[in-house]
Amino acid sequence: MPSLGSRTRFTRQLGFRLTAGYLVFFTFLHIVVGLFFRNTLIRVQESRMRELIEDDWATLRGFLRQTDAGLAWTYNADSPQDSFLAERLQRVLLLADQKGNLLQVSPGYRVIGVEPPSEIRRVLQSRTPVWKVSRDPWGTNYMIRMGTLTLPGGRLYFVAQGRNMAVTEATVRQFTWQYFSGLPVIVLVGGLLGWLLAKQVLQPLQQVVRTSESITGSNLSLRIPMRNAGDELDRLIDTFNRMIERLENSFQQMRQFTADVSHELRTPITAVRGQLEVALLTAQGEEQLRDAILTALEETERLSDFVKAMLQLSQAESGQLVLCKAPRDLCMIARDVLDQYRIPAEDAGLRLVADLPSQCIGEVDRIQFERLLSNLLSNAVKYTPSGGEVRVELQSGEHQVKLAVADTGRGIPREHLPHIFDRFYRVPSTDSSDTRGIGLGLSFVAWIVKAHGGSIDVTSTPGRGARFLVTLPLSSAPAPAAPAQT
Ligand code: ADP
């Protein structure tokens, strides 16, 4: 039995594992979400920056004019707005003519590095805009748009224009820092909540452990209270309770069985002992002693039959008796068994009637099928008074075979019908001489029928007879070892 310490440790481990798993997942999810938002922010900022540069480009076109002296800036210097725009456009700007000769390079452009003539010529030839990011010596990035500009008059120019990305990058940095610096706090709080949740979820398990520890062989009536939450734990508790119920029933059966066996053994042993003692004290002469020994022998024979039947039934029910099923002619087996009962039936003044087809093939274990019919016939003969009739019928259907053993005997009262297949169950009889039988025959019949995958029904009218109807499948799956009787 696990100690209290190991039990607590187990729960802790489970709680710890649950929390740890949850934490790892939670942290991973948080990081993935953070990276996703960071990338989205970068993409949004970049496209915003491109839009701004495209706007600058459009403005620049309006400010540049082709003059005889070459390229010139034309804007209203008195307008603060124009002056501001022109000044801003020229912060990071490089202009070159169509041969690649530099016309204007702003100081801002110079620090990030002037484009090599080859690159300028490539852009002039392709005439498609090229975007790039350049970094100044202080680590600030600039987004640059390189492209061509055709002014009225047909002259082609190279224009590289850029914007400082410091603010954009600072926004991304700030988001990253704020998001990820909060991560340890979020993970800590999440872990704490997960731990509390796991503890709460596992707490009813402690109850299950405590109750199951207090259940012993003499205390099997204990049940774990249901929580009525309808969750997996409730299902576990229900399963556990049902298992205990089954165990309780088995224990009860075992106790009953032990009591029954003791009782069954005590009666003949007491009788033998009594007879031998009386003979020892009172017998006069060899004849009386002989009688006493014969009676004792009869009792020991009954004892031996009882022990043999007990042994066979317990072997059957514990799965040690393996059926050997094969297709056999049941009519032939039935005729053989019936032949064995002709003389006892005649002695008892009974008519033995057989209603059998010419052939009836069924997949059975021959010995067990014989035993089944023999037990039913022996009961019918036993419990039918002289002048009565015992009838055996066999019918073969498409998928099953029906065997009926009917008699016109004393019958079985309705209230006893559900119990007659129980071990040692005997219908109380008013006839004091009725000591035949040990109450195991029908238990065996029930086991044999079950092991063949069939069913058995009994109908009876007290005083007018009983009819046992066995239904067996014609062919069945491989025989189960031995179904336990419930
Ligand atoms: P037993 O060895 O006492 O016959 P069984 O298990 O074969 O034990 O039968 C259980 C009880 O069922 C019997 O004691 C008897 O009371 C009743 N019973 C069985 N078969 C018949 C029958 N054909 N007619 C009347 N009672 C029967």
Side-chain angles (χ1 to χ4, degrees):
M1 191 181 285
S3 69
L4 190 78
S6 70
R7 196 182 68 217
T8 317
R9 228 178 11 253
F10 164 74
T11 315
R12 261 193 203 146
Q13 271 178 13
L14 202 59
F16 174 77
R17 270 159 40 204
L18 270 175
T19 314
Y22 159 77
L23 254 188
V24 168
F25 174 73
F26 186 70
T27 311
F28 177 73
L29 192 75
H30 201 83
I31 290 173
V32 169
V33 169
L35 290 177
F36 172 77
F37 278 124
R38 186 176 177 275
N39 281 347
T40 309
L41 187 65
I42 290 172
R43 276 204 306 280
V44 168
Q45 296 276 34
E46 272 183 12
S47 83
R48 176 87 192 107
M49 178 70 80
R50 282 175 187 239
E51 278 172 20
L52 288 174
I53 295 175
E54 292 283 9
D55 286 351
D56 287 350
W57 183 268
T59 316
L60 185 78
R61 284 177 71 96
F63 280 9
L64 289 176
R65 286 282 177 279
Q66 173 68 48
T67 64
D68 294 339
L71 196 64
W73 286 82
T74 54
Y75 60 90
N76 182 5
D78 295 334
S79 158
Q81 196 187 354
D82 279 12
S83 304
F84 170 74
L85 280 174
E87 187 272 325
R88 211 197 53 212
L89 290 173
Q90 292 179 68
R91 267 186 221 156
V92 184
L93 181 72
L94 183 150
L95 289 174
D97 64 16
Q98 61 187 4
K99 289 188 186 131
N101 299 319
L102 296 179
L103 300 176
Q104 181 180 342
V105 182
S106 71
Y109 210 109
R110 232 174 258 288
V111 290
I112 61 171
V114 175
E115 307 306 326
S118 58
E119 180 65 7
I120 294 174
R121 277 198 293 278
R122 200 176 63 79
V123 175
L124 278 166
Q125 268 164 20
S126 72
R127 296 199 180 193
T128 45
V130 176
W131 292 89
K132 66 173 224 176
V133 174
S134 300
R135 181 182 287 245
D136 73 9
W138 301 278
T140 307
N141 285 330
Y142 289 80
M143 184 171 279
I144 308 290
R145 181 192 191 277
M146 296 184 285
T148 53
L149 180 70
T150 314
L151 289 179
R155 281 283 186 90
L156 186 72
Y157 291 95
F158 169 87
V159 181
Q161 195 185 11
R163 267 188 181 245
N164 185 323
M165 292 175 74
V167 176
T168 311
E169 286 177 346
T171 309
V172 173
R173 260 201 310 279
Q174 196 181 355
F175 166 81
T176 311
W177 162 249
Q178 279 183 352
Y179 185 89
F180 286 100
S181 63
L183 185 65
V185 179
I186 291 172
V187 167
L188 210 75
V189 174
L192 203 71
L193 282 177
W195 167 248
L196 289 175
L197 206 74
K199 237 177 103 176
Q200 202 193 346
V201 169
L202 292 174
Q203 205 251 333
L205 270 184
Q206 295 263 26
Q207 169 92 14
V208 176
V209 174
R210 265 198 300 276
T211 314
S212 49
E213 271 188 355
S214 56
I215 292 174
T216 60
S218 55
N219 193 15
L220 278 170
S221 56
L222 261 184
R223 296 287 179 278
I224 302 168
M226 293 288 281
R227 296 153 57 246
N228 292 325
D231 55 10
E232 288 85 349
L233 205 64
D234 258 1
R235 281 220 301 283
L236 173 78
I237 293 174
D238 186 42
T239 313
F240 187 81
N241 281 346
R242 273 188 285 135
M243 183 190 80
I244 297 292
E245 198 176 311
R246 285 198 299 276
L247 277 179
E248 191 183 11
N249 286 343
S250 300
F251 261 66
Q252 184 56 37
Q253 274 180 12
M254 252 163 61
R255 278 197 206 106
Q256 187 61 44
F257 180 73
T258 316
D260 288 342
V261 172
S262 317
H263 180 77
E264 291 300 324
L265 288 176
R266 204 183 55 190
T267 315
I269 288 174
T270 313
V272 171
R273 193 178 156 184
Q275 277 154 10
L276 291 178
E277 273 174 0
V278 170
L280 200 66
L281 292 175
T282 60
Q284 290 162 356
E286 197 180 315
E287 193 62 25
Q288 280 184 353
L289 275 174
R290 205 179 158 76
D291 281 352
I293 290 170
L294 276 176
T295 325
L297 252 180
E298 268 173 32
E299 285 298 339
T300 49
E301 232 166 75
R302 202 174 107 82
L303 256 177
S304 150
D305 285 350
F306 171 78
V307 172
K308 204 168 123 194
M310 270 314 312
L311 207 70
Q312 282 173 342
L313 190 61
S314 85
Q315 272 177 348
E317 289 181 351
S318 65
Q320 290 172 38
L321 206 79
V322 179
L323 294 191
C324 177
K325 285 200 265 184
R328 300 177 206 279
D329 184 1
L330 303 185
C331 292
M332 226 164 74
I333 304 177
R335 270 188 219 104
D336 287 351
V337 177
L338 273 161
D339 284 347
Q340 292 168 26
Y341 279 87
R342 290 213 184 275
I343 293 171
E346 214 172 283
D347 290 350
L350 301 174
R351 217 155 64 85
L352 198 54
V353 184
D355 185 357
L356 310 174
S358 55
Q359 200 188 41
C360 174
I361 304 294
E363 204 177 303
V364 297
D365 178 310
R366 187 192 169 102
I367 294 177
Q368 300 308 334
F369 186 75
E370 277 178 358
R371 180 176 280 164
L372 180 154
L373 182 56
S374 174
N375 281 0
L376 291 178
L377 263 176
S378 121
N379 277 349
V381 170
K382 230 180 342 184
Y383 299 113
T384 305
S386 173
E389 181 185 282
V390 173
R391 172 178 284 268
V392 176
E393 290 165 20
L394 202 55
Q395 274 174 21
S396 177
E398 201 181 332
H399 300 294
Q400 51 195 22
V401 57
K402 286 180 190 292
L403 168 76
V405 178
D407 63 61
T408 56
R410 73 180 196 196
I412 305 163
R414 171 186 280 272
E415 67 273 23
H416 295 288
L417 285 177
H419 308 292
I420 55 169
F421 294 101
D422 294 348
R423 276 182 298 215
F424 303 114
Y425 194 83
R426 271 178 279 168
V427 178
S429 168
T430 43
D431 183 356
S432 59
S433 64
D434 181 13
T435 52
R436 301 167 294 177
I438 48 177
L440 287 178
L442 286 183
S443 303
F444 227 119
V445 167
W447 178 82
I448 295 168
V449 170
K450 204 171 169 185
H452 280 83
S455 62
I456 181 162
D457 285 318
V458 53
T459 46
S460 172
T461 311
R464 296 182 61 187
R467 185 172 193 266
F468 289 82
L469 177 65
V470 174
T471 309
L472 298 177
L474 270 185
S475 67
S476 57
Q485 195 181 357
T486 50

